Amino acid sequence: MKRSYLIALIVAVAAALWLASPVVERLVRPSVDDAAQGESTASAPAARAGDEAEPIRVRVRRSVATPHVDHLILTGRTEPARQATLRAETAGRIVAVEARKGAMVEQDEVIVRLDPADREASLAEATALLEQRRIEYDAARKLTDKGFQSQTRLAEARADLEAAQAQQQRIALDIERTEIRAPFDGVLQARSVEIGDYVGIGDPVATFVDLDPLLAVAEVSEREISGVDRNAQATVRLVSGERISGPLRYVSSVGAEGTRTFRIEVELPNPDSGLPAGMTAEVRLPVRTVPAHAMSAAVLTLDDEGIVGVKAVDADDVVRFHPVEVVADGANGLWVAGLPAELRLITVGQEFVLPGQKVVPVPEDAVPDAAKAVSGGGS
């Protein structure tokens, strides 16, 4: 082979090897990277195993049970303490209306007047007859005392006198009934007559209510009635926002036939009758005192069966789950029962630990305030 051809062949092979070097590198590099990745993957479980070996740190707070009054919360309504339907006790035409509907009326104040018609004349006639019968009786008595008249005639004179007295009293009472008056201090809720209407005996004239005191009425179920203290003080919150306290004045001893519920009445002061009847009312009735813990709703959690409870740390720093019963809630948190009298409550980290797991409890008072503010802390 000529020398020039040999040199050309060597140059071509060298060029081909140079051009093929990136492909070779790519073919070789994955095996190296895979080996490195395998080493990294193999070391990861070891690192995680090392992390799991160290107990998780949780924040805890010492919680102590205190007596808490449990309330029975009922939805009811307000009612007047007394209500009366005024009816005509004599017949006649309405000639005057003295009180407007919705007005405050004092006891014995006239509401409507009926036309007395000829009643005044009948009263004058009865009064004159009564005077005559009295004179006749006095004369008969004197004659009988002197022996000029029998006892029988005296008895007849006495009977005539008493009949005249009864007649006068009937007419006077009928005249009195032409003025229909308020039976007690209260509010004229409704008036069913106007001037010119004719009413007969027993016809309704007006509805009269007493709003002081006002009653808050509710129904208690048969399961809860046994816990009601008949001497309890209840708190009533009206739909308008007012909160009023008053004694429990009545508890029904017989349940309603259809609902098996028992009526209760709470007496509320209402001196100016400013609170109306018929309003929706929430009645809070104390029924029992239970040892309970105050806490934030954020510390509550669920177990595998969906039971609401809290997690706490026992004396061996092991997590324990405790079911709870929420007995009250408010703006400052919850009151829960069913817990030991004292426990270390997990306030931060409860969602990351399981019952039976060993942890490192960190008291809340050992945590800086800034850290508490960031994490939220317990109540």
Side-chain angles (χ1 to χ4, degrees), residues 218-246:
E219 301 290 331
V220 180
S221 71
E222 57 186 343
R223 293 186 177 181
E224 297 168 326
I225 190 64
S226 61
V228 174
D229 181 3
R230 295 174 183 265
N231 299 315
Q233 283 281 125
T235 301
V236 176
R237 181 167 65 89
L238 302 179
V239 70
S240 56
E242 291 97 335
R243 289 181 178 270
I244 313 171
S245 296

Side-chain angles (χ1 to χ4, degrees), residues 24-147:
V24 174
E25 182 179 3
R26 284 196 299 270
L27 292 174
V28 175
R29 184 177 299 275
S31 63
V32 176
D33 291 344
D34 291 343
Q37 184 176 1
E39 293 177 0
S40 175
T41 303
S43 63
R48 285 197 296 268
D51 292 342
E52 291 178 356
E54 181 180 352
I56 296 178
R57 298 166 65 87
V58 294
R59 189 178 304 167
V60 298
R61 173 169 56 85
R62 178 176 173 270
S63 180
V64 179
T66 57
H68 177 77
V69 179
D70 189 14
H71 288 82
L72 181 61
I73 301 177
L74 307 168
T75 299
R77 65 194 179 280
T78 57
E79 289 186 0
R82 291 184 289 180
Q83 179 169 323
T85 299
L86 307 185
R87 299 179 182 272
E89 296 182 85
T90 187
R93 191 171 304 279
I94 304 296
V95 294
V97 174
E98 304 292 348
R100 60 181 176 82
K101 184 168 62 176
M104 290 286 299
V105 182
E106 295 182 356
Q107 183 175 1
D108 291 331
E109 186 175 338
V110 177
I111 297 176
V112 296
R113 298 179 190 272
L114 277 65
D115 183 7
D118 61 349
R119 293 178 176 87
E120 295 292 345
S122 298
L123 179 63
E125 181 181 355
T127 302
L129 179 60
L130 174 62
E131 183 63 22
Q132 177 186 342
R133 296 290 187 248
R134 181 177 291 111
I135 293 172
E136 291 175 351
Y137 173 73
D138 289 341
R141 180 171 54 81
K142 291 178 181 178
L143 291 173
T144 301
D145 291 343
K146 294 179 180 179

Side-chain angles (χ1 to χ4, degrees), residues 9-354:
L9 180 60
I10 294 172
V11 171
V13 171
L17 292 174
W18 179 77
L19 291 174
S21 61
V23 177
V24 174
E25 182 179 3
R26 284 196 299 270
L27 292 174
V28 175
R29 184 177 299 275
S31 63
V32 176
D33 291 344
D34 291 343
Q37 184 176 1
E39 293 177 0
S40 175
T41 303
S43 63
R48 285 197 296 268
D51 292 342
E52 291 178 356
E54 181 180 352
I56 296 178
R57 298 166 65 87
V58 294
R59 189 178 304 167
V60 298
R61 173 169 56 85
R62 178 176 173 270
S63 180
V64 179
T66 57
H68 177 77
V69 179
D70 189 14
H71 288 82
L72 181 61
I73 301 177
L74 307 168
T75 299
R77 65 194 179 280
T78 57
E79 289 186 0
R82 291 184 289 180
Q83 179 169 323
T85 299
L86 307 185
R87 299 179 182 272
E89 296 182 85
T90 187
R93 191 171 304 279
I94 304 296
V95 294
V97 174
E98 304 292 348
R100 60 181 176 82
K101 184 168 62 176
M104 290 286 299
V105 182
E106 295 182 356
Q107 183 175 1
D108 291 331
E109 186 175 338
V110 177
I111 297 176
V112 296
R113 298 179 190 272
L114 277 65
D115 183 7
D118 61 349
R119 293 178 176 87
E120 295 292 345
S122 298
L123 179 63
E125 181 181 355
T127 302
L129 179 60
L130 174 62
E131 183 63 22
Q132 177 186 342
R133 296 290 187 248
R134 181 177 291 111
I135 293 172
E136 291 175 351
Y137 173 73
D138 289 341
R141 180 171 54 81
K142 291 178 181 178
L143 291 173
T144 301
D145 291 343
K146 294 179 180 179
F148 299 121
Q149 188 168 274
S150 66
Q151 292 289 335
T152 301
R153 181 68 188 92
L154 178 62
E156 291 177 355
R158 182 185 295 109
D160 291 341
L161 174 61
E162 292 176 352
Q165 288 176 333
Q167 178 67 11
Q168 185 202 41
Q169 290 174 356
R170 278 195 298 269
I171 297 174
L173 181 60
D174 194 44
I175 293 175
E176 183 179 335
R177 287 171 174 171
T178 61
E179 295 182 339
I180 300 177
R181 299 174 179 271
F184 44 78
D185 294 348
V187 177
L188 183 60
Q189 175 65 17
R191 193 187 66 237
S192 55
V193 296
E194 293 294 345
I195 295 176
D197 289 342
Y198 184 88
V199 294
I201 297 175
D203 289 346
V205 173
T207 301
F208 202 70
V209 297
D210 182 7
L211 298 178
D212 184 25
L214 188 68
L215 299 183
V217 178
E219 301 290 331
V220 180
S221 71
E222 57 186 343
R223 293 186 177 181
E224 297 168 326
I225 190 64
S226 61
V228 174
D229 181 3
R230 295 174 183 265
N231 299 315
Q233 283 281 125
T235 301
V236 176
R237 181 167 65 89
L238 302 179
V239 70
S240 56
E242 291 97 335
R243 289 181 178 270
I244 313 171
S245 296
L248 183 64
R249 82 167 196 175
Y250 171 76
V251 178
S252 175
S253 298
V254 179
E257 184 175 348
T259 61
R260 298 293 190 272
T261 56
F262 295 79
R263 177 185 172 98
I264 64 166
E265 295 177 359
V266 179
E267 187 175 292
L268 305 176
N270 190 22
D272 57 355
S273 298
L275 298 175
M279 295 181 68
T280 300
E282 179 189 84
V283 180
R284 296 177 61 89
L285 197 62
V287 291
R288 59 173 179 165
T289 301
V290 296
H293 293 254
M295 61 184 62
S296 167
V299 306
L300 297 182
T301 185
L302 298 174
D303 68 358
D304 295 338
E305 299 178 357
I307 298 175
V308 179
V310 297
K311 291 177 182 175
V313 179
D314 64 12
D316 298 325
D317 295 342
V318 175
V319 178
R320 302 297 179 192
F321 179 82
H322 299 275
V324 299
E325 175 193 357
V326 178
V327 295
D329 62 344
N332 297 325
L334 304 176
W335 286 91
V336 301
L339 296 174
E342 182 177 340
L343 78 166
R344 289 188 294 172
L345 180 68
I346 299 178
T347 59
V348 176
Q350 67 271 23
E351 297 300 335
F352 303 102
V353 294
L354 298 174

